[in-house]
Amino acid sequence: MRILHTSDWHLGQRLVNLERTEEHQCFLDWLLKTIEEEQVEVLLMSGDVFDTGAPSNTALKQYYRFLTNVCATCCRHVIITGGNHDSVSTLNAPKELLNCLDIKVMGGATDNILDELIELHDAQGKLQLVVCAVPFLRDRDVRLSVAGETYEEREQRIKQGIAAHYQAFVPHLQPYKAQQVPVVAMGHLFAAGGTASESEKEIHVGNLGQIGADQFPAEFDYVALGHLHRPQLVNKTHHIRYSGSPIPLSFSEVTDKKVVYVLEFHAGKLTDLQELEVPCSRKLVRFKGPLEKVKQQLAVYDNSSYSLTAWAEVQVELETPLPDLNQQLEEVLRLKPEIEMLIHRPPLIHSVRQTLEQQVEQEADLHTLREKDVFLKRCESVFPDTDHTELLATFSELLELMGQEKES
């Protein structure tokens, strides 16, 4: 079987105030075409189908239309697991109906580990692949609260709980390994050694829940991970990979190459792994520097390689405040309809002599701050000489619990 690994679609995502529907549709259309061209028989989607637990009707329609279309291709099996952004109930609602179309959905962890173990057969009914379809493991799935436990004890219990969930498959995998049937695991987590971008929402608390490559059982011939938006190996381990998001979800990802992976197995072993680059339909571009330099960069920017209007983040460096800064930028942009300024950061003032008012630190745009950033700033203001590590960990855990309560 030829297998395609993707993740982190984040359907329904908005960047600042603008929807990404067109970009997502370009990707989904390309994915359908790629499935046919590469003769993919199994599609693995490792979490974060949607950007929020309550996706818009547009995002839901896009999701179901894709699943309808993929059933008309050569792809015979689709397995979708939930991520930390997904609502378990939203993903699981059509589960029984989709199961009739050979689309398996695992929105959240199950009481019986065998429910997450999926056998895939070829057209003749021969067992070809086994998938351990592990969704995002929430705090309640991997540990019970213990009164009075320390930050370090809580960290260790979460790591042990995630590793134990994967180890629980091992006794059930031996018959498949004896028959040289390949075993693929899925996951949505933060593996130690991975590189994050600004758009990822922290999973668990800080580095809680990070497990190393060596904690995935050796019985797994490939581990298809989701959550980190940059495609990467985990600790340089060839068969444990993040496929990353198919479109750049923040300006911190402007230089990232977006990919999917196509796998082939022989005699139960991974023998071929292709990295296929996802075409970019909309360019996110940053312009930063002195005003004249930024104006020149905007004026000569070429967007002809992309089908959609470019979205720009602009930050100008000045020696003194400039009252008509916005007007000057708007004059340039009027001549460049292929660029839309999405974020205009406050200018950086580099004057040698400044007034007291100008020396005040520039305020950050509200939409660039996360809840944790605001909380940290408040902690630093009220308790400037205190280590805030444990307080931040508790606050992050509270945010996660609130998110879980919203879903339920």
Side-chain angles (χ1 to χ4, degrees):
M1 285 186 169
R2 286 175 65 79
I3 303 157
L4 190 147
H5 166 205
T6 180
S7 69
D8 295 275
W9 293 355
H10 288 267
L11 300 180
Q13 195 236 13
R14 301 173 71 92
L15 190 54
V16 186
N17 293 318
L18 300 181
E19 293 185 354
R20 317 294 298 278
T21 305
E22 288 180 291
E23 295 161 85
H24 278 124
Q25 193 56 53
C26 288
F27 163 68
L28 294 176
D29 291 343
W30 174 85
L31 184 58
L32 288 169
K33 182 181 177 182
T34 300
I35 286 171
E36 289 282 25
E37 290 177 349
E38 296 293 328
Q39 291 297 291
V40 170
E41 298 170 84
V42 181
L43 174 64
L44 303 180
M45 200 292 174
S46 298
D48 281 353
V49 178
F50 299 106
D51 192 59
T52 70
S56 66
N57 288 337
T58 300
L60 288 168
K61 183 177 180 180
Q62 204 167 36
Y63 171 60
Y64 291 124
R65 180 186 291 144
F66 171 80
L67 294 182
T68 301
N69 291 336
V70 81
C71 290
T73 68
C74 57
C75 185
R76 302 183 62 252
H77 305 279
V78 178
I79 300 180
I80 298 168
T81 55
N84 59 304
H85 280 252
D86 294 313
S87 161
V88 176
S89 57
T90 297
L91 282 188
N92 280 350
K95 185 173 182 175
E96 299 303 321
L97 179 60
L98 294 177
N99 192 46
C100 298
L101 302 173
D102 282 324
I103 299 173
K104 310 291 185 183
V105 177
M106 200 64 59
T110 59
D111 295 330
N112 184 355
I113 194 76
L114 293 180
D115 292 337
E116 298 171 19
L117 196 152
I118 301 171
E119 295 182 349
L120 302 183
H121 302 79
D122 62 16
Q124 289 72 43
K126 181 181 177 182
L127 180 62
Q128 291 287 92
L129 180 72
V130 172
V131 178
C132 300
V134 182
F136 169 57
L137 298 174
R138 288 168 166 78
D139 188 68
R140 61 175 178 258
D141 300 324
V142 296
R143 74 177 184 98
L144 298 175
S145 297
V146 176
E149 68 179 350
T150 66
Y151 175 85
E152 290 77 14
E153 290 170 339
R154 184 163 68 248
E155 177 181 5
Q156 190 60 29
R157 284 167 62 80
I158 290 177
K159 289 179 179 179
Q160 289 175 347
I162 294 174
H165 192 95
Y166 283 97
Q167 287 291 339
F169 288 104
V170 173
H172 307 288
L173 300 180
Q174 302 312 318
Y176 303 119
K177 304 303 292 184
Q179 300 172 54
Q180 293 188 325
V181 175
V183 177
V184 172
M186 301 174 70
H188 195 91
L189 47 81
F190 194 168
T195 304
S197 65
E198 292 175 2
S199 56
E200 283 110 16
K201 177 182 175 183
E202 288 191 19
I203 289 186
H204 293 300
V205 183
N207 68 341
L208 295 187
Q210 288 191 29
I211 66 172
D214 59 342
Q215 291 176 285
F216 290 104
E219 285 77 6
F220 296 152
D221 299 293
Y222 182 79
V223 182
L225 295 177
H227 176 54
L228 298 186
H229 297 163
R230 293 188 172 114
Q232 56 196 288
L233 287 66
V234 175
N235 283 350
K236 300 181 180 179
T237 307
H238 179 70
H239 73 289
I240 305 177
R241 294 179 178 246
Y242 287 97
S243 62
S245 60
I247 68 172
L249 297 171
S250 74
F251 281 91
S252 69
E253 300 172 29
V254 294
T255 60
D256 296 348
K257 181 170 72 170
K258 298 303 183 180
V259 307
V260 298
Y261 296 120
V262 176
L263 323 168
E264 275 196 271
F265 292 89
H266 180 70
K269 299 297 180 182
L270 178 63
T271 56
D272 186 44
L273 190 155
Q274 297 180 59
E275 180 183 279
L276 302 182
E277 185 170 358
V278 179
C280 179
S281 57
R282 186 193 305 281
K283 183 68 172 176
L284 302 185
V285 59
R286 279 173 159 162
F287 299 98
K288 182 178 179 180
L291 178 58
E292 290 306 315
K293 178 183 176 181
V294 169
K295 289 166 66 175
Q296 178 66 16
Q297 289 175 332
L298 288 169
V300 301
Y301 177 75
D302 181 8
N303 196 56
S304 60
S305 299
Y306 306 96
S307 58
L308 302 175
T309 302
W311 286 348
E313 177 187 273
V314 177
Q315 186 167 40
V316 177
E317 298 173 357
L318 301 172
E319 292 185 0
T320 58
L322 193 63
D324 66 340
L325 174 62
N326 290 345
Q327 290 86 337
Q328 290 198 44
L329 291 175
E330 288 170 3
E331 286 176 9
V332 177
L333 289 169
R334 268 198 293 270
L335 302 175
K336 300 289 291 186
E338 65 271 33
I339 305 177
E340 181 172 357
M341 185 166 62
L342 202 62
I343 297 176
H344 184 192
R345 294 189 180 277
L348 294 173
I349 310 295
H350 295 311
S351 176
V352 176
R353 299 182 64 184
Q354 296 177 320
T355 66
L356 179 61
E357 182 178 314
Q358 292 166 352
Q359 290 175 20
V360 175
E361 183 179 353
Q362 295 291 329
E363 294 183 3
D365 293 333
L366 186 58
H367 67 262
T368 66
L369 292 176
R370 300 173 299 170
E371 296 95 333
K372 185 176 176 181
D373 297 327
V374 178
F375 184 74
L376 178 58
K377 285 180 181 295
R378 181 61 177 167
C379 288
E380 291 172 343
S381 173
V382 179
F383 310 109
D385 301 320
T386 305
D387 181 6
H388 309 117
T389 303
E390 188 159 355
L391 195 57
L392 283 173
T394 304
F395 181 72
S396 297
E397 190 166 17
L398 177 62
L399 287 177
E400 185 179 341
L401 290 172
M402 288 172 62
Q404 292 176 12
E405 293 213 353
K406 286 180 182 177
E407 292 177 11
S408 56

